[in-house]
Every structure is written in structure tokens, then in C-alpha cells.
Amino acid sequence: MFCLDVNLLWKPKQPNTVLMGIKLRKLKADIATAFPSLSVEDLSELVPNKEELNVVKIYAHKGDAVTLYVLHKTPVLFELEKCLYPTVYTLWRYPHVLPTFTTWPPVLQKLAGGADLMLPGVVVPLSGIPEVKKGDCCAVKVVSNRAPMAVGTATMSSAEMRSLGMKGRGVSVLHTYMDSLWAFGDKSGPPSIPDVDTEGVEATYEEEEEEDDDEATEGGEEEPCPNRVPDAPCPGIQELSLADREEGEHGKEEGEDPEDLRSPQEQMDALLLQCFLQALKSKVKKSELPLLTSSFLQFCASGLGKQLDIKKSSYKKLSKFLQCMQQQHSLVRVKELSKGVESIVEVDWKNPELRSFRTPKDPGIEEASVEVGRAEGEKPYHPPEITTLYSVSSRLEPLFQDAKKRKGTVLQPAEVRAIITDYVKRNELVDENNKKCLGDKSEYQEVEALKWDDLFSRTLYKMQHCHQLVFPGQPPIVKKGHIEPIDISVASRGSNKKVTMIKNLEVYGLDPMAVSVALQHRVQASSALNPVPGSKDRVLVQIQGNQVQQVCKLLLDKYQIPCKYIQGLDNKVQKPGRKK
């Protein structure tokens, strides 16, 4: 949670306060309940009555809200999801407070980097592993030293660990020595407390490490950490930076892929950070600010060879990621300019991390598939050719009898014009009008002459409207009536939540599922398909938030649907600006 990484720091979310009176007594009672092995004297020493105990509320690097209890500028406890946990500073004073697992010193570097303790890395002493239940708070120490180095929760009970043959994940680590929470204190090193239980395995470990050192020397590589727990942060952790991450990605050895060594969530985190810096570096302009966060995601998603999905990252939401970039790196400033709509209002172009970032240059990189969201092998979409047609009605059938056009015959406007012109000339009606055929009964005694354009428009108005759809490689489809436009509407759900609904996509040959996936990746919001009331074969796409602007861009730019066939463009969010 507090892993020490240049990209995973945290900052207080509000000023610290002093705990006094009833709240202080309640905290003592909670500590006594959570850690019954603490004596009354230990509890009075840990939380003294006559000294100030500060409460600091912070956001961890993943957006979790954490409460710190700080005594003499050193955190002694932290609270997460209403559970109290001691820091390593407290455990060094009271190592007997929590059940403790033992591991090898090099594992500490992995724990400080954010990894959990795996059971194959647990050293089982002669007395056996400690007895814990699933979810119990426990500590982790290294061989030959009783001073705990990490705090976490057990992922399973001790009986389950033994039944599985000590395989799998044992402890979910929350806080370690040398992480950001440790750096919040006085940064003192762990004390050396002899451990009687692991004296027998220490010699075995030293012999194995000597063999490993010899092998590393022959291979030309060095161990990342010394063979004991250091008093200062390990260089492998202290020098983590974005440049190291880039070198790790581009400096691959033959037959070895560093991407395979990271979990999918870590890979998505790295990809998201790279997209963020690349968008700020080369795509976002100062004149475009303030910029909607949903629009900014478009810049992040373009120019990659991979699909960007924030929900597969540790942040889960774009707002949490931008909050992390604002609080930890001071790269951007996000503000809610209108209710429920966040925008990026400021970018620190002089930020050292942004200035040192180098945009990857790879001519083989293609545009990300976020824009469309289509599956592999799916044919690209081509918009249909839409033509307006007219059908001969029973009222105008005598007008088209000479042209052998019966009731229900579908004609194009040019054909109607040619038939009407021929009828007028053949019956010598250029100077006089045939009022019985062309005029309404109410206008029979009023209309004396008609212009050609009025004649054609009145005739088309009296005919049945139709439309024709021609998809590439398919026969024409003729339907009665006007073509239904794609309807985009915004509805309210709950107190202040809005959803955007899109209907009639099937009319234009669009797959609602494909459009839903494309929008979901484009705006990083959840979407759903719901049946259209009163229709058996149509569904509407529903996506969270007012996404009219993004829907319009997708339909106009990607699917090439003409603007006149899209209804609801006026529902989009207006860009914030000065009031006139």
C-alpha cells in the first residue's frame, strides 16, 4: 500500500488534528481490543495521556483513505477500513504484539516494492509457523532478527497453509520498512533483536548465499541487496524512476520478456502512466485548457499498440488516477468546473518528470483499438447509402396512370419530376392548371396557377414517403416512412447521476454491443444494453455520465454517420468559459 516508488507516493488530504478527551480514551480501548497482548503499562507508553497524539488523514497511492496516529512526528498506528494496524516503529518496541512469519532478507526488497509474502518464501522454524486465522493482522521478520519488517493480513489460516504444502500467497502486505509510511517518521533503522528460533537456519542461509554469490560473479551480475537487512534503503528501491522503467522495457535480453514478470495490473499501470505523460508531452496544448477529463482520455488512448483499459489497472477509475497525478506529482490540476463534470485546468509543463520523459519512437506502432473496440477478425463498418424515395398514393394514382405506375410503386424524386412534367406538357396545362387532380377540395376555387417548383413540392407532399438503404455488398432495402435518426438523450438517475442513452443503431447497421464496447473504452465508464420499450428486436445503449459529445464524435468521425441522421446533438456538455 505504501510501497516506495517514485510514482506511488501520497500526501495528506487535510491538516492534522490533536486527539484528546473522549476520542483518546476510545482509541486506547480500541488498541486494547485489537492487541490484547499489550499490557496496561505498554498501552500508556504507546499512547501517553499528557502528550499530543496527532491524527493525519491521507490518501494512499491507490486512492485508499488512511488515518495515521502520529506521536513525536513518528507514526505509531494506522487505520484502514476501520481496522487498526501498528507501524514498524511500534513493532520494534513491542515485537510480541503480532504473530510473526519469518522470511529471508532479500525478500524484504520485494515486499517494500509492493509484493505480498508468498508461502514458499516463509522460513519454518522448529516451533512451526504461528497460528493465525484468515484476515488476522500479522507481521513479517527476517532470519536472525526478531524486529518485524512488515505488517499485513493473513490470506488464509495456518491450517490451510499447512494443508496446501506452504504454497500460494500467505500474507497480504500493507506496510513495510523503507516504504513511504516509514519515511514519514524519523527514518530510523530496525534494532537488532536476537532470534533464538531461527539460529539453526541462519548458517544454512549463509552457505546458500555464498553459492549464489559465486554464481552471480561468474555470470557477471551482482546481487541487488546485501545478504543482511541494511540500515539504509536498498539502492534497488531508492533509485526507482520512470527512466529505469523505460530502460527495463526497451533493454530486453534475448529470450527474456520483462513484461511477463509483472502482473497484468502492473502492466496496465505502467501503460497508463506512459500514455498520460505522452499525452501531456506531445498532444495537449495550452490553448485547449480547460480540458474535460473524458476528452483527455482520447489523447491517452491514441498512438499505442495496446488496448488501454483503466478498469484493469490498480486505480479502476480515471478520477483516482488524475487525483494521484495531481497530489503526488503536481503534474496537473483537476477542478470541477460544473456540477459532476471534472476538467483539467492546469498543466505544469516545467515539471522535471514531464520534461525528462521521452516519447517512444516506433514506426511499427499502430493506433490503439480503443477508438473502435472491435474484436479481432471483425469487418470494418461502412455507413449505408441512404436515399429518399416516394410511393404512389391512391389519391395521385390517376396522375401516374399514363406512365404505368400503379399504387405503391416506389419512385425517386427525379422520376416523379419527369412524370409530372410529361403529364403537364401532354395535356397542354402550361397555361392552365388541372385543378381537379392537383388541388385540394378546399383550394378548388382558390388556386388558379402554380409555379413548377410549387407543383413538384405539392405532388411529393401528397405521396407516401419511403427510404432506401444500400449497404456495401448487399441488396437495397426499401422501407416506408422517414428513416429514424439515431436518438441520443440524457436522463437523470438518482440524486445527481446522469446516463446517456443511444437508440436506433440497428437502423444503420450498427451493432449496439460494438458501439457499447467502443464507448466504454473511449470514456472509461460502465455501459449496458437495455431493450427498447415496445420493440422486440431493438436495444438501446446506456452509458454513465453525459457522454453526448463523445457519442457524436464516435458516430461522426468513426462510423461516418451524416449529422442530419443524428438527433440530440444539443444535449452535449458545453465547454466551461467566461460568463457573458
Side-chain angles (χ1 to χ4, degrees), residues 271 274-275 278 283 300-308 365-369:
L271 180 63
Q274 176 188 340
C275 296
Q278 183 174 345
K283 298 179 181 179
C300 295
S302 60
L304 304 174
K306 302 178 181 178
Q307 186 162 315
L308 182 62
I365 292 181
E366 299 177 355
E367 290 295 318
S369 58

Side-chain angles (χ1 to χ4, degrees), residues 530-550:
N530 298 323
V532 176
S535 178
K536 296 182 180 179
D537 56 348
R538 291 190 185 181
V539 296
L540 62 84
V541 177
Q542 178 176 301
I543 189 165
Q544 287 186 353
N546 188 338
Q547 311 294 351
V548 175
Q549 185 174 3
Q550 300 301 327

Side-chain angles (χ1 to χ4, degrees), residues 388-440:
T388 301
L389 302 177
Y390 297 89
S391 174
V392 178
S393 61
S394 58
R395 190 172 185 180
L396 296 181
E397 187 175 4
L399 189 62
F400 293 90
Q401 281 182 351
D402 294 341
K404 298 180 180 180
K405 304 297 182 183
R406 297 182 179 181
K407 176 185 174 182
T409 304
V410 178
L411 303 173
Q412 293 189 2
E415 294 178 313
V416 176
R417 188 183 186 97
I419 293 174
I420 296 298
T421 303
D422 181 67
Y423 179 88
V424 171
K425 291 182 178 180
R426 187 171 60 252
N427 292 276
E428 298 180 356
L429 300 176
V430 177
D431 297 328
E432 296 181 3
N433 297 315
N434 190 342
K435 301 171 185 174
K436 185 176 181 180
C437 295
L438 302 177
D440 289 336

Side-chain angles (χ1 to χ4, degrees), residues 212-233:
D212 294 340
D213 290 341
D214 295 339
E215 293 177 0
T217 304
E218 292 176 2
E221 298 178 358
E222 296 182 357
E223 289 290 332
C225 288
N227 59 0
R228 61 182 178 85
V229 179
D231 294 338

Side-chain angles (χ1 to χ4, degrees), residues 225-481:
C225 288
N227 59 0
R228 61 182 178 85
V229 179
D231 294 338
C234 179
I237 298 177
Q238 186 178 9
E239 297 175 2
L240 281 176
S241 64
L242 183 62
D244 298 334
R245 191 173 292 181
E246 290 179 359
E247 292 177 4
E249 292 178 357
H250 299 289
K252 299 177 182 177
E253 298 180 2
E254 295 183 1
E256 183 177 345
D257 188 2
E259 292 288 339
D260 297 337
L261 303 178
R262 297 184 297 174
S263 65
Q265 189 179 76
E266 292 174 342
Q267 295 180 28
M268 190 57 65
D269 286 347
L271 180 63
L272 181 59
L273 178 61
Q274 176 188 340
C275 296
F276 173 77
L277 294 175
Q278 183 174 345
L280 292 181
K281 185 87 172 181
S282 58
K283 298 179 181 179
V284 178
K285 300 178 181 179
K286 191 173 182 179
S287 59
E288 296 175 342
L289 300 178
L291 180 66
L292 291 174
T293 55
S294 57
S295 301
F296 175 73
L297 188 62
Q298 305 302 309
F299 296 109
C300 295
S302 60
L304 304 174
K306 302 178 181 178
Q307 186 162 315
L308 182 62
D309 191 350
I310 293 183
K311 291 191 175 182
K312 293 182 180 179
S313 68
S314 60
Y315 302 97
K316 304 302 180 185
K317 295 182 180 180
L318 178 63
S319 58
K320 283 190 175 182
F321 173 74
L322 293 177
Q323 186 181 52
C324 175
M325 295 297 104
Q326 175 178 339
Q327 295 181 351
Q328 300 175 10
H329 302 271
S330 300
L331 280 166
V332 295
R333 187 164 68 89
V334 181
K335 190 176 180 181
E336 190 174 332
L337 296 179
S338 58
K339 196 171 184 180
V341 180
E342 291 186 339
S343 301
I344 298 176
V345 297
E346 185 179 342
V347 177
D348 185 8
W349 308 103
K350 297 181 180 180
N351 187 286
E353 186 174 359
L354 180 60
R355 297 183 66 179
S356 62
F357 176 76
R358 291 171 293 178
T359 303
K361 296 181 179 179
D362 188 354
I365 292 181
E366 299 177 355
E367 290 295 318
S369 58
V370 175
E371 291 292 323
V372 186
R374 3 175 244 277
E376 295 183 2
E378 184 178 347
K379 295 181 180 179
Y381 173 81
H382 295 285
E385 182 181 344
I386 304 172
T387 306
T388 301
L389 302 177
Y390 297 89
S391 174
V392 178
S393 61
S394 58
R395 190 172 185 180
L396 296 181
E397 187 175 4
L399 189 62
F400 293 90
Q401 281 182 351
D402 294 341
K404 298 180 180 180
K405 304 297 182 183
R406 297 182 179 181
K407 176 185 174 182
T409 304
V410 178
L411 303 173
Q412 293 189 2
E415 294 178 313
V416 176
R417 188 183 186 97
I419 293 174
I420 296 298
T421 303
D422 181 67
Y423 179 88
V424 171
K425 291 182 178 180
R426 187 171 60 252
N427 292 276
E428 298 180 356
L429 300 176
V430 177
D431 297 328
E432 296 181 3
N433 297 315
N434 190 342
K435 301 171 185 174
K436 185 176 181 180
C437 295
L438 302 177
D440 289 336
K441 291 182 179 180
S442 59
E443 300 176 347
Y444 186 79
Q445 301 297 333
E446 298 176 7
V447 178
E448 296 181 355
L450 284 175
K451 295 181 180 179
W452 280 104
D453 291 340
D454 293 338
L455 175 61
F456 296 139
S457 63
R458 288 165 69 93
T459 303
L460 294 176
Y461 178 76
K462 298 295 183 180
M463 299 180 71
Q464 174 69 44
H465 286 265
C466 302
H467 63 274
Q468 175 181 274
L469 297 172
V470 180
F471 291 94
Q474 299 182 16
I477 301 173
V478 179
K479 295 183 179 181
K480 292 182 179 181

Side-chain angles (χ1 to χ4, degrees), residues 160-207:
E160 291 175 328
M161 294 180 187
R162 288 188 287 265
S163 64
L164 293 175
M166 298 301 290
K167 293 182 180 179
R169 188 162 59 99
V171 178
S172 179
V173 178
L174 300 175
H175 158 53
T176 67
Y177 165 54
M178 296 187 300
D179 68 1
S180 297
L181 182 56
W182 166 83
F184 188 79
D186 56 13
K187 299 182 181 180
S188 59
S192 180
I193 306 176
D195 188 5
V196 181
D197 293 337
T198 58
E199 284 182 353
V201 298
E202 182 180 0
T204 305
Y205 165 70
E206 291 178 353
E207 292 177 1

